[in-house]
Amino acid sequence: MKKNARVVVIGGGIAGCSTLYHLTQEGWSDVVLLERNDLTSGTTWHSAAQVTNFGMNQTMVGLKTHSINLYKELANDPDHPINYNHSDGGIRLANTEEQMQGYRHFASMAKGMGVDFEVIDAKECQRRHPLISTKNLIGGLWDPHDGDIDPYQLCHSLVRKAREAGAKVYTDTPVTALEQYKDNTWKVSTEHGDIDCDIIVNACGYRVNEVGAMMGVHHPVASMEHQYFLTEDIPEIAQAGHRMPLLRCPISDYYCRQDKGGLLIGFYEQNCKTWGMDGIDPNFVNALCPDDLERVVDVLDGAFERMPALMNAGIRSIVNGPITYTIDGAPLVGKIPGKENAFCIIGLRAGLGEGGGHGWLLAQQIVNGEACYDTWCLDPRRFTAHANVEMTSLKAIEDYQNEFRFHFPHEHRPAARKAKTTSLTPIMAAENAAFTVINGWERVEYIKPSEDFHPSLSFHFDETFDIVAKEIINIRDNVGLCEVNGFNRFEITGLDAENFIDRMFCGNITHKPGRVGLGYLLNDFGMVKSEATIANIPASDRGSTRIWYGSAAASEFHDMDWLTQHINADEDVHIKSLTNDQTILIIAGPKARKVMSACSRDNWSKEVFPWLSVRECFIGFTAATVMSVSFSGELAYEVHVPNSSLYAAYLALSEAGKEFGMKLFGSRAVESMRMEKGFLSWKSDLLTEFDPFETGLDRFVNLKKDNFIGKTALQKRVKDGPKQRLVCLGVDCKHAPSHSGASLIENGKVVGTITSGEWGHRVNQNLAYAFVNPEKSKPGNKMTLNLLGEMISVKVIPFGAYDRSYSRLLA
Ligand SMILES: Cc1cc2nc3c(=O)[nH]c(=O)nc-3n(C[C@H](O)[C@H](O)[C@H](O)COP(=O)(O)OP(=O)(O)OC[C@H]3O[C@@H](n4cnc5c(N)ncnc54)[C@H](O)[C@@H]3O)c2cc1C
């Protein structure tokens, strides 16, 4: 066995084989795959192996399209063809108008990735799949590229091509230990000797945490038992004269594809079971769990009703095997949080369909540091410390039970809630708060009119519209209070802290004590990596001068990784996370200053404490750090307090606010107000696929600065000109917001993609942001938006429709 390699991929299922192949495609040939048994001997060998194009966002659709194109290429290899049925097509069924709305949105979204889904009615579903009845069916989504592949042949084909490019593959070679050297390279120990390598990749399927434990990492991945059966031949299929398309049924939770002259039917039963929670038998290789059809009786009936021909079909065989899930159903593909030179491609629950694309995006990240798409929806760092195995298994059960029921906008499912709370969570609940979840934190979304208020799940504006409007109007006219827990906060200290900050941000960042500034971090390609506020806290009896770095709640692990990996060995820079220790109370509205003055002895006048200031003070008797910054466009203060004194600060502010009509507000109001004000949101509008000029952040870039990360690449991009531009749109629609991913069309061609959409209650206008072709970006330019299948007129308008002069912030 080789003694050294650039990359060692551990695991020879579809995830590992695809990664190995794509590393060689990226030009790295000194790569090794280690497999404890045979290739495909984990989950891959017994997969139903359906390959679909459907995804909930453009990254997923794009990576699945890559799988399909790659698999076609492998299938058509003249010397080593493989079995891939890629023209059966497939239908996702719907029995509610809301599901159909969703399908119309996904069709609009996929169009931007060059994929043509079709929304069809019940009769057309039946015409394309003659075995189904139309009872209790409205229609469905047609995916023309659905099919199925031979998983064994697929993996062997990928490995053969990787080997031809120089890769080495060792089977029957279990990895037994991992050790990281001081220079962050790795020693991989196996039963047949050790390999030193620069980078390791965990692709170990349901054994992910056996290998994770070898490097002191726990991955939030849990396994579920999952079952399908194969039928004998069904005469109605032969009579149809063509292969049956795939079926996915969110009504009765099963999928189905043709297998030989019969069907393969897989089930997502409510009475589902986790697997391997207390360890996995080392001899579970090429193995299955015991058959258990009793468990799926609830869903079996639905399948029989939909396809009566099944009643007479004999069962040929049953397959019950482990399948992995994460907390949100999407896999973990990318850098392992907190580890250098370590990546993973794990938690794949549709690994055959997606594996080609995931391996492609991972190899790009390993070789180039970034992939062609923004991969946040797959990034392992999107879950943080709360994501333990017990929580993951609860979410896995919930995801499994809802496998084909996509999330609606603002739908927050109940499993494993309250992972992270503050002393105010019960107080807010008693005030009838509805909660959303951000990075595990329970955050107030809006205040419900009654305890039993449950808005409908819909892609249209729902019953919360007027509630959010009222919260905003009270902020506009009086003052509101909002708890922002889990906001990401790092304290940066050290002799080189200022230089470090300057290098990390692409624009000028103020270092004046007592001042706050907003800035952007770019990656090595000059694309937008992160957004953060920098607050310079003067020395006081609470500590010496220090910098507070504040960014989106979800970016906790992501930003920490990015910052720490850029501290030079000779730099004196220390980063401490305060994210889980501090909470923000926002006081926003024209009477905010009066509220602050009523509970604090400091001078809050605009002359002494103007916009973009920071100070340490007392709110009542609670020590707080206050910033005059605003995401709402109103005069506002962020009151940062340690969690231990949060309740006391809240009481002081609430008491002070009474006489000024202060009311609670939540994240839905914030989302609407920030769009009216022209502010952007990380990973909605701020993406690694665009540079800061394309994103309209010109005033936050200083190309004359000595140096900053991404500068050289950005200079080159400037010469080449923008590929797209972010614009604000007025949307001529009263009944639905624009949903992220929806396509803008002109003359039948996609000219842009929505990133955010909300109703602006203060400007009384439906607003959206979108990346569009540069020639479409001029104010006044009109386009058509495919919004839930309706063709809606939109017009480019300047950003910041509300209070363009900033008079309310500066008041
Ligand atoms: C019943 C069923 C039906 C399914 N149907 C579909 C479908 O229709 N379409 C679809 O897309 N997906 C489907 N899936 C899911 C899909 O099969 C999986 O997502 C995919 O196979 C996972 O591949 P993997 O490479 O991540 O894991 P695995 O295939 O489990 O591979 C992991 C590999 O790592 C190796 N390994 C583990 N530990 C070590 C070690 N210490 N050293 C070296 N090697 C190690 C294992 O031996 C194994 O070969 C189905 C799954 C099930 C259970």
Side-chain angles (χ1 to χ4, degrees), residues 446-466:
Y446 57 89
I447 302 297
K448 300 183 285 186
S450 62
E451 209 177 325
D452 58 357
F453 175 78
H454 297 293
S456 3
L457 294 177
S458 170
F459 282 77
H460 286 178
F461 290 123
D462 60 26
E463 299 85 346
T464 59
F465 188 88
D466 291 337

Side-chain angles (χ1 to χ4, degrees), residues 208-241:
V208 49
N209 277 316
E210 292 177 8
V211 173
M214 294 178 199
M215 58 176 131
V217 168
H218 173 78
H219 296 284
V221 175
S223 297
M224 303 290 299
E225 279 189 27
H226 175 49
Q227 219 165 179
Y228 64 75
F229 64 65
L230 297 151
T231 73
E232 305 285 2
D233 287 359
I234 296 178
E236 286 85 345
I237 294 181
Q239 283 156 22

Side-chain angles (χ1 to χ4, degrees), residues 312-326:
N312 305 319
I315 291 179
R316 189 153 50 87
S317 58
I318 300 170
V319 168
N320 185 18
I323 187 167
T324 52
Y325 277 75
T326 65

Side-chain angles (χ1 to χ4, degrees), residues 461-470 668 734 758-759 761 764:
F461 290 123
D462 60 26
E463 299 85 346
T464 59
F465 188 88
D466 291 337
I467 298 168
V468 173
K470 269 193 199 145
R668 293 281 288 277
K734 296 258 187 292
E758 254 314 334
W759 188 271
H761 291 280
N764 201 23

